[in-house]
Amino acid sequence: MYSYTRAESRERRRLFLKGAHQAFGDNLDSRVTARMHEIDAVAAERGARELAALERQMETARDTVATAKATLRAAKWGTERSAAKDAVREAEKNLRRAERAYHRAANS
């Protein structure tokens, strides 16, 4: 996964156009492609860190769901049980949100 900043995207776009222009003239400068590879390497490293952080967040959400379900199973009838059900619903909603973010990032 690549995670480009806005400045990196602009510079990469500019370098791409410059490289295309040079390729038409058959005098491609190696510094253009080297700089693009540097930008790609930095973006790939940043993307890997972000993906790892999203994975940790998803694992934490799964642990929270498991804790909430255990609390629900141990709850007495009445208000304690309804509060535990609400906690399970909220934890599952957060888990779905974390999973969507992780899969969206992993597939981009």
Side-chain angles (χ1 to χ4, degrees), residues 1-15:
M1 177 181 126
Y2 292 98
S3 178
Y4 296 101
T5 62
R6 287 187 177 136
E8 287 172 342
S9 293
R10 282 191 306 269
E11 184 178 4
R12 194 170 187 289
R13 187 178 320 116
R14 182 185 62 78
L15 289 170

Side-chain angles (χ1 to χ4, degrees), residues 65-107:
V65 168
T67 303
K69 284 186 177 183
T71 304
L72 176 62
R73 288 187 181 102
K76 293 181 180 180
W77 292 101
T79 58
E80 183 181 343
R81 188 158 176 89
S82 65
K85 282 183 182 180
D86 291 340
V88 168
R89 281 191 210 104
E90 188 65 30
E92 287 174 341
K93 187 189 320 179
N94 289 337
L95 174 61
R96 283 191 300 274
R97 189 178 310 122
E99 285 176 339
R100 275 194 307 267
Y102 175 78
H103 291 297
R104 194 176 323 124
N107 295 328

